[in-house]
Amino acid sequence: MSSTETLQIKNYIGLKGDKPIKFIASDVDGTLVNDAKAIPDEAIEAIRAARESGIRVAIASGRAWNEMNDVIEKLPCLRYFMCTNGAYVMDKEENRSLFHVTFDKEQALYLLRKLLTYGVYVEAYVKDKIFGMYPPSRCITPERLCACADEEGLWGHLPGETYDHYALAEGDKAANDNLSECEVEQSNFFFRPNIRPFILATRTMVPDLLAHMEALDEGPEKMQIFYGDESMRQRILQDLRDEYQGMSHDGTGRERFYDVLLSSEGNLEFVLPHTTKGTAVEALANHWKFSPHEVMTLGDSENDLSMLRFAGASVAMGNGKPNIKEAARYVTTDNNHHGVAKAIYSAIAHNDELNKNKLL
């Protein structure tokens, strides 16, 4: 899946400025991992080199803490994980939460009731757990199936066909679960092939998500849907997304309690407007007394915009949407062609050049 290009410490992205890069925060999906959801060896080596040169490296992701196992396995050197778009920040070394903020429970239940009316897969992020629920199978109508088949073959395959996600998830919990025929059909419909094994291995499915969330003591950090077909995505955006993304109040002065973020994996994220990857990156940078010009952030999706806008060295992935690239100061190659490694090596080369100039 990834390129076999040989990399070196070189300023691939044309990084400029008179400040060294001291802190790098990277997104995971669509950024650190390739389309096969694997972390390339080149990225692992680049992160090792960055740390050896004195640069701090952390993860900033929409993933929950329990979805970070593959990252931790490949990069045990990393300590800080900004999970759930900054709402849950973990210090892996001390195994403790540094920051945790949730939706107001009643507001979350109000939003959940709305989401459940659309006939989509809905899930809630609660600390290190993700509780999910499929809609009634009758919600996947023949019309929706046909619409998906017309949209690039629904991620490259027909929604109703059997897909060997057990084989893909070999070694994971999902591989040993006995899914019903209905669950197989639902997972094929809502989850793209490249993420389906990961979803099945990391979710706790519940029969009644609303009742489950009502029984908990607090609200979730994030809610998310997988919509299945483009027409449903457009309908939900039209109903639930307003023009005041990122703001605490709308044009009438009414308090807003969620933003809707677009993603590239067939999902929409419902998050707190005042808690983002950007606020988490800024908090860590302030803790270490780093200025924004000493921070590099890497991302590809809408939930990365806040941290791209914060950092002096913001880097968009080559696979990012046009608005992501426009928001960033630099653009690297895509996630299948060493985008993260090239950006990190650029930071090391930039710092080396600054150090050389100091000696002249």
Short mmCIF file of all heavy atoms in Angstrom, two decimals, residues 40 43 48 56 65 76 84 103 117 121 158 166 186 198 200 202 210 216-217 221 261 273 282 284 292 335 354:
data_model
loop_
_atom_site.label_atom_id
_atom_site.label_comp_id
_atom_site.label_asym_id
_atom_site.label_seq_id
_atom_site.Cartn_x
_atom_site.Cartn_y
_atom_site.Cartn_z
N PRO A 40 3.29 2.88 8.62
CA PRO A 40 4.46 2.49 7.83
C PRO A 40 5.75 2.53 8.66
O PRO A 40 5.89 3.35 9.58
CB PRO A 40 4.50 3.55 6.72
CG PRO A 40 3.12 4.10 6.65
CD PRO A 40 2.60 4.05 8.06
N ALA A 43 7.39 5.92 8.91
CA ALA A 43 6.85 6.86 9.90
C ALA A 43 7.38 6.53 11.30
O ALA A 43 7.71 7.44 12.07
CB ALA A 43 5.32 6.81 9.89
N ARG A 48 11.02 8.08 15.70
CA ARG A 48 12.18 7.75 16.54
C ARG A 48 13.27 8.78 16.38
O ARG A 48 13.85 9.28 17.36
CB ARG A 48 12.71 6.36 16.17
CG ARG A 48 13.88 5.89 17.04
CD ARG A 48 14.66 4.76 16.39
NE ARG A 48 15.26 5.20 15.13
CZ ARG A 48 16.36 5.95 15.06
NH1 ARG A 48 16.97 6.36 16.16
NH2 ARG A 48 16.84 6.29 13.88
N ARG A 56 9.43 16.60 20.92
CA ARG A 56 8.35 15.84 21.54
C ARG A 56 7.31 15.47 20.47
O ARG A 56 6.99 16.29 19.62
CB ARG A 56 7.68 16.64 22.65
CG ARG A 56 8.60 16.97 23.83
CD ARG A 56 7.85 17.84 24.82
NE ARG A 56 8.71 18.31 25.88
CZ ARG A 56 8.81 17.75 27.09
NH1 ARG A 56 8.07 16.67 27.36
NH2 ARG A 56 9.61 18.24 28.01
N TRP A 65 -9.54 6.17 23.52
CA TRP A 65 -8.32 5.61 24.10
C TRP A 65 -8.20 4.11 23.80
O TRP A 65 -7.11 3.61 23.52
CB TRP A 65 -8.31 5.88 25.60
CG TRP A 65 -7.19 5.27 26.39
CD1 TRP A 65 -7.31 4.47 27.49
CD2 TRP A 65 -5.78 5.43 26.17
NE1 TRP A 65 -6.06 4.12 27.97
CE2 TRP A 65 -5.11 4.70 27.18
CE3 TRP A 65 -5.03 6.10 25.22
CZ2 TRP A 65 -3.72 4.62 27.25
CZ3 TRP A 65 -3.64 6.03 25.29
CH2 TRP A 65 -3.00 5.30 26.29
N PRO A 76 5.73 2.40 21.07
CA PRO A 76 5.67 2.39 22.54
C PRO A 76 6.37 3.58 23.18
O PRO A 76 6.17 3.86 24.36
CB PRO A 76 6.38 1.07 22.90
CG PRO A 76 7.28 0.78 21.73
CD PRO A 76 6.52 1.28 20.53
N THR A 84 -10.35 11.33 21.28
CA THR A 84 -11.72 11.82 21.13
C THR A 84 -11.72 13.32 20.83
O THR A 84 -12.44 14.09 21.44
CB THR A 84 -12.57 11.51 22.38
OG1 THR A 84 -12.22 10.22 22.89
CG2 THR A 84 -14.05 11.51 22.05
N PHE A 103 -20.16 15.83 27.20
CA PHE A 103 -21.43 16.50 26.96
C PHE A 103 -22.24 16.53 28.26
O PHE A 103 -22.14 15.62 29.09
CB PHE A 103 -22.27 15.71 25.94
CG PHE A 103 -21.95 15.99 24.51
CD1 PHE A 103 -21.11 15.14 23.80
CD2 PHE A 103 -22.50 17.08 23.86
CE1 PHE A 103 -20.82 15.38 22.46
CE2 PHE A 103 -22.22 17.33 22.52
CZ PHE A 103 -21.38 16.48 21.82
N THR A 117 -33.41 8.54 14.99
CA THR A 117 -34.55 8.59 14.08
C THR A 117 -34.15 8.42 12.61
O THR A 117 -35.03 8.23 11.76
CB THR A 117 -35.32 9.92 14.22
OG1 THR A 117 -34.48 11.01 13.78
CG2 THR A 117 -35.76 10.15 15.65
N TYR A 121 -26.23 3.77 11.90
CA TYR A 121 -25.47 3.22 13.03
C TYR A 121 -25.03 4.39 13.91
O TYR A 121 -24.46 5.38 13.42
CB TYR A 121 -24.25 2.45 12.54
CG TYR A 121 -23.29 2.07 13.65
CD1 TYR A 121 -23.50 0.93 14.41
CD2 TYR A 121 -22.19 2.88 13.94
CE1 TYR A 121 -22.64 0.59 15.44
CE2 TYR A 121 -21.32 2.55 14.96
CZ TYR A 121 -21.55 1.40 15.72
OH TYR A 121 -20.70 1.08 16.73
N LEU A 158 -20.50 -4.27 -3.33
CA LEU A 158 -21.94 -4.13 -3.16
C LEU A 158 -22.32 -4.30 -1.71
O LEU A 158 -21.79 -5.17 -1.01
CB LEU A 158 -22.67 -5.16 -4.03
CG LEU A 158 -22.53 -4.92 -5.54
CD1 LEU A 158 -23.16 -6.09 -6.29
CD2 LEU A 158 -23.19 -3.61 -5.95
N TYR A 166 -14.02 -11.44 9.00
CA TYR A 166 -13.42 -12.31 10.01
C TYR A 166 -11.95 -12.55 9.69
O TYR A 166 -11.08 -12.50 10.57
CB TYR A 166 -14.16 -13.65 10.05
CG TYR A 166 -15.59 -13.54 10.51
CD1 TYR A 166 -16.62 -13.65 9.59
CD2 TYR A 166 -15.90 -13.34 11.84
CE1 TYR A 166 -17.94 -13.55 9.99
CE2 TYR A 166 -17.22 -13.25 12.25
CZ TYR A 166 -18.23 -13.35 11.32
OH TYR A 166 -19.52 -13.25 11.72
N GLN A 186 -25.58 -5.53 8.38
CA GLN A 186 -25.47 -4.16 8.88
C GLN A 186 -24.03 -3.66 8.81
O GLN A 186 -23.77 -2.53 8.38
CB GLN A 186 -25.95 -4.10 10.34
CG GLN A 186 -27.40 -4.49 10.54
CD GLN A 186 -28.32 -3.28 10.56
OE1 GLN A 186 -28.08 -2.31 9.87
NE2 GLN A 186 -29.37 -3.35 11.35
N PHE A 198 -11.55 -3.18 12.24
CA PHE A 198 -11.17 -2.34 13.38
C PHE A 198 -12.41 -1.94 14.18
O PHE A 198 -12.41 -1.99 15.41
CB PHE A 198 -10.45 -1.09 12.85
CG PHE A 198 -10.00 -0.15 13.92
CD1 PHE A 198 -8.92 -0.45 14.74
CD2 PHE A 198 -10.66 1.06 14.12
CE1 PHE A 198 -8.51 0.43 15.73
CE2 PHE A 198 -10.26 1.94 15.10
CZ PHE A 198 -9.19 1.62 15.91
N LEU A 200 -15.33 -3.52 14.34
CA LEU A 200 -15.89 -4.70 15.01
C LEU A 200 -15.06 -5.12 16.22
O LEU A 200 -15.59 -5.68 17.18
CB LEU A 200 -15.99 -5.86 14.02
CG LEU A 200 -16.97 -5.65 12.85
CD1 LEU A 200 -16.88 -6.83 11.88
CD2 LEU A 200 -18.39 -5.46 13.35
N THR A 202 -13.34 -3.03 18.23
CA THR A 202 -13.19 -2.01 19.27
C THR A 202 -14.50 -1.48 19.83
O THR A 202 -14.49 -0.67 20.75
CB THR A 202 -12.38 -0.82 18.72
OG1 THR A 202 -12.99 -0.31 17.52
CG2 THR A 202 -10.94 -1.22 18.42
N LEU A 210 -29.94 4.19 23.81
CA LEU A 210 -30.55 5.25 24.62
C LEU A 210 -30.69 4.82 26.07
O LEU A 210 -30.31 5.57 26.99
CB LEU A 210 -31.92 5.62 24.03
CG LEU A 210 -32.67 6.76 24.75
CD1 LEU A 210 -31.85 8.04 24.72
CD2 LEU A 210 -34.04 6.97 24.11
N LEU A 216 -26.00 5.65 32.58
CA LEU A 216 -24.67 6.11 32.96
C LEU A 216 -24.73 7.39 33.78
O LEU A 216 -25.70 8.15 33.71
CB LEU A 216 -23.80 6.33 31.71
CG LEU A 216 -23.54 5.09 30.85
CD1 LEU A 216 -22.64 5.45 29.67
CD2 LEU A 216 -22.91 3.97 31.67
N ASP A 217 -23.67 7.65 34.54
CA ASP A 217 -23.65 8.81 35.43
C ASP A 217 -23.41 10.12 34.70
O ASP A 217 -23.79 11.19 35.19
CB ASP A 217 -22.56 8.64 36.50
CG ASP A 217 -22.87 7.50 37.46
OD1 ASP A 217 -24.06 7.20 37.66
OD2 ASP A 217 -21.91 6.91 38.00
N GLU A 221 -18.13 11.82 25.63
CA GLU A 221 -17.24 12.85 25.09
C GLU A 221 -17.58 13.18 23.64
O GLU A 221 -17.35 14.30 23.19
CB GLU A 221 -15.77 12.39 25.13
CG GLU A 221 -15.21 12.14 26.51
CD GLU A 221 -15.47 10.72 26.97
OE1 GLU A 221 -15.31 9.79 26.16
OE2 GLU A 221 -15.86 10.55 28.14
N LEU A 261 -18.77 17.38 12.54
CA LEU A 261 -17.54 17.33 11.77
C LEU A 261 -17.63 16.27 10.68
O LEU A 261 -18.05 15.15 10.92
CB LEU A 261 -16.34 17.03 12.67
CG LEU A 261 -16.09 18.03 13.81
CD1 LEU A 261 -14.85 17.61 14.60
CD2 LEU A 261 -15.92 19.44 13.27
N PRO A 273 -18.27 21.98 20.86
CA PRO A 273 -17.67 23.05 20.05
C PRO A 273 -16.45 23.70 20.69
O PRO A 273 -15.61 24.25 19.99
CB PRO A 273 -18.81 24.05 19.87
CG PRO A 273 -19.74 23.79 21.00
CD PRO A 273 -19.64 22.32 21.28
N GLU A 282 -2.81 23.00 22.15
CA GLU A 282 -2.42 24.28 22.76
C GLU A 282 -2.12 24.11 24.25
O GLU A 282 -1.16 24.67 24.77
CB GLU A 282 -3.52 25.32 22.56
CG GLU A 282 -3.18 26.68 23.13
CD GLU A 282 -4.25 27.72 22.86
OE1 GLU A 282 -5.31 27.35 22.31
OE2 GLU A 282 -4.03 28.91 23.20
N LEU A 284 -1.08 21.37 25.84
CA LEU A 284 0.21 20.70 26.03
C LEU A 284 1.36 21.64 25.69
O LEU A 284 2.38 21.67 26.40
CB LEU A 284 0.28 19.45 25.16
CG LEU A 284 -0.38 18.18 25.70
CD1 LEU A 284 -0.18 17.02 24.73
CD2 LEU A 284 0.18 17.81 27.07
N PRO A 292 3.29 28.73 19.54
CA PRO A 292 2.70 28.07 18.36
C PRO A 292 3.71 27.89 17.23
O PRO A 292 3.61 26.91 16.47
CB PRO A 292 1.57 29.03 17.95
CG PRO A 292 1.18 29.70 19.23
CD PRO A 292 2.47 29.86 19.99
N ASN A 335 -1.01 9.81 2.70
CA ASN A 335 -0.73 8.84 3.76
C ASN A 335 -0.24 7.50 3.22
O ASN A 335 0.18 6.65 4.01
CB ASN A 335 -1.97 8.62 4.63
CG ASN A 335 -3.15 8.06 3.85
OD1 ASN A 335 -3.39 8.44 2.71
ND2 ASN A 335 -3.90 7.17 4.47
N LEU A 354 18.90 25.52 11.48
CA LEU A 354 18.94 26.63 12.44
C LEU A 354 20.15 26.52 13.35
O LEU A 354 20.81 27.52 13.68
CB LEU A 354 17.66 26.65 13.27
CG LEU A 354 16.36 27.05 12.56
CD1 LEU A 354 15.19 27.00 13.54
CD2 LEU A 354 16.48 28.46 11.98
#
